[in-house]
């Protein structure tokens, strides 16, 4: 009985958030891929992606590969709040799931999965972060947008890439495919945020001479957002690419 009451409350909350966020974004604008890449490259802005998983944590929930912590929630909110307040003067650029935020809620009505994944994200974004600022698209490096990788690497004129991931073979493939000197830093596949400080120390220790332009590529879940933020504050160029490596660089895990 208690389980059914709990489910009922969750459904009520979901539909409440769906209704209040039905109109979609009211003030924020989203840059298209080309404009976003130009902005990142020309200004050497770090890129930080937010998706439904990060918004789950902002709401006090865990996700399957990152346990909730108050510190992580505060850090994620700090990243967004500072960005909204400073706009394009921040050393980093935020990517949001534009497709799921920009349109009316009609597209979700016949899918309980979409409702459960995106009602809370839309509601939370509209309530706190839908301001007159510009965002990129969190799916900038998703499947079907593979040319965005090459354009970024070719135009950035990099001397070194530090590749932060939980599997070394992705870094090896990246170095072979793009011909860029790549240093691999391994992170846990789950709860990487608990080792965030140690990971940051390893990244900073791996940076070479400032004569060569370096970029840190992060595939580290919510921890990657905080890492990109900290690196941007230190003048290090970081790009949070998310799960993209399982798609354009094919699945090398053997799973």
């Amino acid at each position: 009985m208690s389980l059914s009451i709990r489910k009922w409350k969750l459904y009520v909350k979901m539909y409440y958030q769906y209704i209040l966020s039905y109109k979609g974004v009211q003030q924020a604008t989203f840059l298209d891929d080309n404009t976003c890449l130009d902005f990142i490259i020309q200004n050497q802005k770090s890129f930080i992606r937010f998706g439904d998983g990060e918004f789950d944590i902002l709401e006090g929930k865990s996700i399957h590969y990152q346990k909730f912590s108050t510190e992580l929630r505060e850090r994620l909110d700090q990243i967004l709040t500072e960005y909204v307040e400073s706009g394009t003067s921040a050393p980093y650029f935020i990517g949001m799931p534009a497709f799921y935020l920009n349109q009316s809620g009609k597209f979700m009505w016949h899918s309980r999965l979409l409702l459960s994944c995106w009602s809370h994200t839309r509601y939370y974004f509209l309530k706190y972060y839908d301001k007159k600022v510009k965002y990129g698209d969190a799916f900038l490096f998703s499947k079907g947008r593979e040319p965005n990788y090459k354009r970024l690497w070719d135009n950035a004129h990099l001397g070194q890439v530090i590749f932060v991931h939980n599997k070394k073979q992705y870094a090896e493939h990246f170095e072979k495919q793009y011909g860029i000197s790549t240093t691999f830093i391994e992170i846990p596949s789950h709860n990487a945020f608990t080792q965030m400080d140690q990971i940051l120390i390893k990244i900073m220790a791996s940076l070479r001479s400032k004569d060569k332009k370096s970029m840190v590529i992060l595939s580290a879940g919510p921890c990657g957002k905080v890492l990109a933020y900290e690196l941007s504050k230190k003048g290090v160029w970081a790009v949070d690419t998310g799960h993209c490596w399982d798609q354009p660089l094919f699945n090398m895990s053997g799973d």
Side-chain angles (χ1 to χ4, degrees), residues 10 47 51 94 121 128 174 187 199 204-206 217 220 238 247-248 250:
L10 289 173
F47 186 60
I94 295 290
T121 299
Y128 296 106
F174 175 86
I187 61 168
I199 297 168
M204 296 304 298
S206 298
I217 297 175
Q247 296 168 340
F250 60 83

Side-chain angles (χ1 to χ4, degrees), residues 46-55 57-58 63 65-66 72-73 75-80 92-97 138-139 164 187 192-193 196 200 217-233 238-244:
S46 291
F47 186 60
I48 305 176
R49 304 163 50 262
F50 273 73
D52 60 317
E54 284 69 44
F55 280 94
I57 291 170
L58 285 166
I63 57 178
Y65 54 89
Q66 179 60 65
L72 177 55
R73 176 172 61 186
R75 297 304 304 275
L76 294 176
D77 180 66
Q78 176 189 23
I79 293 168
L80 290 175
Y92 56 93
F93 191 51
I94 295 290
M96 287 288 181
F139 300 111
V164 182
I187 61 168
F193 184 71
M196 203 273 298
L200 183 59
I217 297 175
L218 297 156
S219 183
C223 176
K225 324 307 174 187
V226 185
L227 285 169
Y229 169 85
E230 290 294 337
L231 289 166
S232 73
K233 294 289 186 176
V239 176
D240 165 32
T241 55
H243 299 295
C244 65

Side-chain angles (χ1 to χ4, degrees), residues 163 167-177 182 184 252:
F163 200 101
K167 289 187 172 68
K168 187 176 183 179
Q169 58 262 44
Y170 288 86
E172 293 172 341
H173 182 80
F174 175 86
E175 183 172 51
K176 181 178 179 181
Q177 178 162 331
T182 303
F184 173 65
M252 295 179 285

Side-chain angles (χ1 to χ4, degrees), residues 7 10-18 21 51-53 55-56 59 61 63 100 105 107-123:
K7 282 188 175 182
L10 289 173
Y11 280 126
V12 169
K13 182 179 180 180
M14 180 180 71
Y15 283 111
Y16 170 79
Q17 292 178 333
Y18 170 73
S21 63
D52 60 317
F55 280 94
D56 275 338
E59 280 201 296
K61 306 172 186 175
I63 57 178
Y100 295 101
F107 79 99
M108 298 189 292
W109 182 246
H110 296 295
S111 171
R112 190 171 69 179
L113 177 61
L114 288 175
L115 283 167
S116 63
C117 286
W118 295 105
S119 292
H120 76 97
T121 299
R122 286 162 60 90
Y123 172 79

Side-chain angles (χ1 to χ4, degrees), residues 23-57:
K23 290 184 177 180
V25 168
Q26 301 296 300
Q27 299 187 71
T29 56
F30 297 91
L31 302 185
D32 60 38
D33 284 10
N34 288 333
T35 306
C36 182
L37 283 168
D38 285 343
F39 184 71
I40 292 171
I41 294 167
Q42 292 170 10
N43 298 282
Q44 292 189 35
K45 295 278 189 179
S46 291
F47 186 60
I48 305 176
R49 304 163 50 262
F50 273 73
D52 60 317
E54 284 69 44
F55 280 94
D56 275 338
I57 291 170

Side-chain angles (χ1 to χ4, degrees), residues 49-170:
R49 304 163 50 262
F50 273 73
D52 60 317
E54 284 69 44
F55 280 94
D56 275 338
I57 291 170
L58 285 166
E59 280 201 296
K61 306 172 186 175
S62 296
I63 57 178
H64 70 278
Y65 54 89
Q66 179 60 65
K67 186 177 180 180
F68 170 79
S69 77
T70 301
E71 181 185 1
L72 177 55
R73 176 172 61 186
E74 290 174 350
R75 297 304 304 275
L76 294 176
D77 180 66
Q78 176 189 23
I79 293 168
L80 290 175
T81 300
E82 285 188 17
Y83 181 77
V84 167
E85 291 176 351
S86 62
T88 54
S89 66
Y92 56 93
F93 191 51
I94 295 290
M96 287 288 181
F99 175 82
Y100 295 101
L101 297 175
N102 230 356
Q103 58 185 310
S104 78
K106 185 178 180 180
F107 79 99
M108 298 189 292
W109 182 246
H110 296 295
S111 171
R112 190 171 69 179
L113 177 61
L114 288 175
L115 283 167
S116 63
C117 286
W118 295 105
S119 292
H120 76 97
T121 299
R122 286 162 60 90
Y123 172 79
Y124 208 91
F125 176 83
L126 266 64
K127 185 174 181 179
Y128 296 106
Y129 311 116
D130 184 17
K131 310 295 182 182
K132 292 182 179 180
V133 295
K134 295 177 180 179
Y135 294 99
D137 192 341
F139 300 111
L140 181 64
F141 299 111
S142 63
K143 187 175 182 180
R145 295 175 173 178
E146 287 84 349
N148 289 345
Y149 299 103
K150 184 170 175 56
R151 183 177 168 197
L152 179 60
W153 318 141
D154 287 353
N155 288 278
H157 305 295
L158 301 173
Q160 176 198 22
V161 160
I162 296 173
F163 200 101
V164 182
H165 197 286
N166 59 31
K167 289 187 172 68
K168 187 176 183 179
Q169 58 262 44
Y170 288 86

